Amino acid sequence: MTGWLLGDVVGELEALYPPASAAAWDRVGLVTGDLDQPVRRVLFALDPTLAVIDEAAAWGADLLVTHHPLLLRGVHSVATTSAKGASVSRLVVADIALYVAHTNADVSDPGVSGVLADALGLVEQRALAQLEGYAAGRVGQLPAPESLAQFADRLCRVLPPAVGGIRVSGDPDGQVRTVAVLGGSGDDQFDAVRASGADVYVTADLRHHPVLEAREEARGGRPYLVDAGHWATESLWLEDARRRLLDALGADVERRPVRVEAKVSALRTEPWSFVVGANRAGQARPASGGAS
């Protein structure tokens, strides 16, 4: 054998991100493709959008690996009249296999949150919580205490730019050192964050009521909360996954001299286009009424 088949690459991906560790509700693994088809080019992306599939086809990718599933909920038709159907059809016609590593990549070591924690320079890392028997999220220490504003700047430098920016709840001058992170949606883990002793919690998709209640419980103090965006907090994992897959495949290079190319999608699949009026509420307003 001189090249890699899809079944071989899937085997390496499943060794890195075991499907058995995925949440019970999740849909991971191979979505389209023939296990006997050759794989020479692999594209990594967070979302299997139509634009990403077009990018994969234009590059000549044989395999698209995404974090988010294409078919998470029940689908009764793959006609091209729907975006899901058009995506499946495009993948099949272009002979591109699709593989999903979602919550199994969240809980792997390192997974989505571990990569984010490493990028922030956190040391003495430990799990934030246990989900269905697997470690989720990370808690670690910054090298030295810094203000919440300084930490937000650190996070901004680490993450790719996103339209929504980074939302912070807390005193800008408050000191932080113990940091909890959970890439993607994480406003269901506030109890674990409080139990961890974290000074600040970085996650995404924070909703009004859970955040308001959490800040009330904190009486305005720690843990401070940071919503850094779903796409941004998870996207760092893509490069790590790309490198780990190539390392795994490279270990067998003598038996399979045909190398596999892999790259991360250049597309930002964050759904937002622009923001209006950011920080207006925090700007000083002139007093109303009175004589001038």
Side-chain angles (χ1 to χ4, degrees):
M1 182 181 294
T2 59
W4 289 95
L5 298 180
L6 178 59
D8 303 316
V9 180
V10 166
E12 297 295 347
L13 286 168
E14 292 187 345
L16 291 169
Y17 311 109
S21 64
W25 52 263
D26 205 2
R27 298 294 179 266
V28 301
L30 191 63
V31 180
T32 65
D34 182 340
L35 292 176
D36 291 327
Q37 72 186 72
V39 172
R40 296 181 179 85
R41 286 186 169 181
V42 183
L43 182 68
F44 284 81
L46 204 66
D47 301 282
T49 63
L50 287 164
V52 167
I53 294 169
D54 285 342
E55 178 190 21
W59 184 51
D62 306 295
L63 171 61
L64 173 60
V65 177
T66 66
H67 183 52
H68 293 141
L70 175 63
L71 305 174
L72 181 59
R73 296 176 179 85
V75 173
H76 305 288
S77 169
V78 290
T80 58
T81 50
S82 71
K84 298 290 187 185
S87 298
V88 172
S89 296
R90 181 71 170 119
L91 288 164
V92 172
V93 169
D95 203 21
I96 301 171
L98 173 63
Y99 186 89
V100 173
H102 190 206
T103 52
N104 48 327
D106 289 337
V107 301
S108 63
D109 186 16
V112 171
S113 297
V115 172
L116 176 57
D118 289 343
L120 285 169
L122 302 186
V123 298
E124 301 177 24
Q125 293 182 27
R126 63 185 191 276
L128 170 63
Q130 294 287 322
L131 299 180
E132 297 185 15
Y134 294 96
R138 286 289 183 273
V139 180
Q141 303 289 316
L142 291 168
E146 57 191 36
S147 72
L148 180 60
Q150 289 172 324
F151 174 75
D153 286 339
R154 173 195 290 263
L155 181 63
C156 186
R157 292 191 300 270
V158 162
L159 295 178
V163 171
I166 296 173
R167 298 187 298 171
V168 183
S169 180
D171 178 2
D173 297 321
Q175 295 293 293
V176 300
R177 186 166 192 182
T178 303
V179 180
V181 301
L182 195 152
S185 302
D187 66 9
D188 59 345
Q189 294 300 317
F190 288 149
D191 287 343
V193 171
R194 284 188 285 267
S196 75
D199 300 315
V200 59
Y201 178 39
V202 179
T203 187
D205 298 342
L206 294 183
R207 297 167 295 168
H208 175 86
H209 293 297
V211 170
L212 188 59
E213 291 174 4
R215 297 304 294 139
E216 288 284 283
E217 288 296 330
R219 305 298 195 272
R222 303 175 184 86
Y224 304 125
L225 302 179
V226 179
D227 186 331
H230 198 121
W231 175 81
T233 56
E234 293 186 330
S235 62
L236 296 182
W237 169 79
L238 297 171
E239 174 57 30
D240 185 79
R242 184 200 71 86
R243 179 178 56 80
R244 290 183 183 278
L245 177 62
L246 289 181
D247 286 348
L249 298 178
D252 201 17
V253 70
E254 291 185 2
R255 190 163 65 91
R256 305 172 194 258
V258 176
R259 293 232 179 215
V260 172
E261 295 181 68
K263 71 176 185 178
V264 173
S265 170
L267 299 179
R268 175 176 56 82
T269 54
E270 177 193 29
W272 307 112
S273 301
F274 60 92
V275 173
V276 176
N279 290 326
R280 281 185 64 195
Q283 295 173 355
R285 298 180 179 179
S288 60
S292 59

